[in-house]
Amino acid sequence: MVGALKRWWFPPIPLRRIDVLRVIVYLFLPLDMLLFTGSVWGHTQATSVYQPVLLARLLHLPGATQALVYPLFAIVVVAALIAATGRLPRAAGFVAALGYLQWAMLAMSYGKVDHDHLALIVALFVLPTVGRTSEEAAGWAVRCVQIAVVATYFLSAYAKIRHGGWEWPNGATFQWAIARRGTFFGHFVADIPGALLIGQWLVLLAETVSPVVLFVRGRALYTGVAFFLGFHLMTWAVITIHFLPHVICLAAFLPLERLPIAGKRARRGAAGQAAPVVRGEPVEPVP
């Protein structure tokens, strides 16, 4: 039992998957800070409406000011770009993680909390823990990101019923959303009898059973990932909600080491010596 649990938490993952995941995650940060959490820039003059989230309150973090926001943005971007190259993965990675966490808390302390950033923040904190030769450490980091992705779905389903009750899947939830921010395609779907009600139940059920993807592999795993990618694509097409910070973390379920970007990993130690390449990578990617 203990051995099976250890294998599940520390599956041997090719280190090249971490290389590609680093590139995806770290290069996404500047885009996120400019577009998706870019509201921080406008909060520098809104000190009166600063209501810090729990962690910010516990740490007594200040609100957004120009003296904080501009240096924080520069530090995170520089650290992320360095970490994306694979150099100084621990130092640059943790600087990017801590800096972006503060940035995200600033973004979420002036209004609603966007749960699409949970997996991204977890990824930022676990990627720097991966060494240069340990496939088990890589497996643990990937598993943590996968759990964060699934937790986002499952806890979202829980929140829907906790706060909206069974009226969420049985009511006019999607109709209300389309009336507020629906697209041409969204209004087209809304005119199909029963389509929105079926969609509400499908979303709730899919989020509830999402933990299944943690325990399958191969074609079943890829089908699950494709389903959730399609789900986010549909959400964007209907009501222009993209969840992109969360979507990029679905890459943790995929065999990224097979992409051309992975190339041949040249792992070097601190003294500049080539680290040994671990062979015998599994044919089927570990979920």
Side-chain angles (χ1 to χ4, degrees):
M1 179 66 179
V2 175
L5 186 61
K6 182 179 179 180
R7 287 192 299 272
W8 189 84
W9 269 107
F10 300 91
I13 294 291
L15 290 167
R16 288 194 295 274
R17 187 181 304 189
I18 296 297
D19 289 342
V20 181
L21 194 58
R22 280 194 180 112
V23 172
I24 294 172
V25 169
Y26 290 128
L27 293 187
F28 177 77
L29 287 188
L31 176 66
D32 180 271
M33 297 173 77
L34 289 171
L35 298 181
F36 308 136
T37 53
S39 58
V40 173
W41 300 103
H43 292 156
T44 57
Q45 306 298 327
T47 56
S48 62
V49 294
Y50 177 59
Q51 296 182 346
V53 294
L54 177 60
L55 183 57
R57 293 198 303 271
L58 293 176
L59 298 176
H60 302 286
L61 296 179
T65 62
Q66 290 186 358
L68 171 64
V69 169
Y70 287 91
L72 182 60
F73 175 81
I75 290 171
V76 173
V77 170
V78 171
L81 294 178
I82 293 174
T85 68
R87 298 185 179 276
L88 302 175
R90 294 184 187 275
F94 279 122
V95 169
L98 291 170
Y100 181 79
L101 176 62
Q102 184 171 6
W103 181 275
M105 287 190 291
L106 287 174
M108 310 304 169
S109 293
Y110 291 85
K112 68 183 181 70
V113 177
D114 296 325
H115 58 292
D116 62 342
H117 284 71
L118 171 62
L120 176 62
I121 292 175
V122 170
L124 289 173
F125 276 95
V126 297
L127 285 176
T129 67
V130 181
R132 297 180 181 275
T133 60
S134 175
E135 291 190 334
E136 286 72 21
W140 178 82
V142 167
R143 184 68 77 197
C144 288
V145 179
Q146 292 174 346
I147 290 174
V149 169
V150 168
T152 300
Y153 292 126
F154 187 80
L155 294 177
S156 177
Y158 169 74
K160 287 178 174 62
I161 300 304
R162 178 187 177 189
H163 298 288
W166 292 106
E167 291 183 2
W168 194 98
N170 290 315
T173 307
F174 283 1
Q175 183 66 61
W176 174 75
I178 291 174
R180 289 178 62 241
R181 53 185 305 164
T183 64
F184 171 81
F185 179 68
H187 289 287
F188 171 79
V189 173
D191 290 336
I192 302 175
L196 297 184
L197 185 63
I198 293 173
Q200 289 166 189
W201 273 102
L202 182 62
V203 168
L204 183 63
L205 292 175
E207 291 178 335
T208 302
V209 302
S210 60
V212 171
V213 300
L214 292 172
F215 304 99
V216 297
R217 62 177 62 188
R219 183 174 299 178
L221 173 62
Y222 302 149
T223 300
V225 173
F227 171 82
F228 283 111
L229 286 174
F231 160 67
H232 291 296
L233 179 61
M234 180 64 71
T235 302
W236 175 78
V238 172
I239 53 177
T240 65
I241 294 179
H242 53 76
F243 260 66
L244 192 56
H246 174 86
V247 168
I248 67 167
C249 292
L250 283 168
F253 289 95
L254 303 176
L256 302 175
E257 63 276 8
R258 299 179 183 178
L259 296 175
I261 191 177
K264 291 185 178 180
R265 178 186 174 91
R267 296 187 290 274
R268 297 190 175 275
Q273 299 296 323
V277 178
V278 181
R279 301 187 183 278
E281 296 169 358
V283 176
E284 286 291 343
V286 181

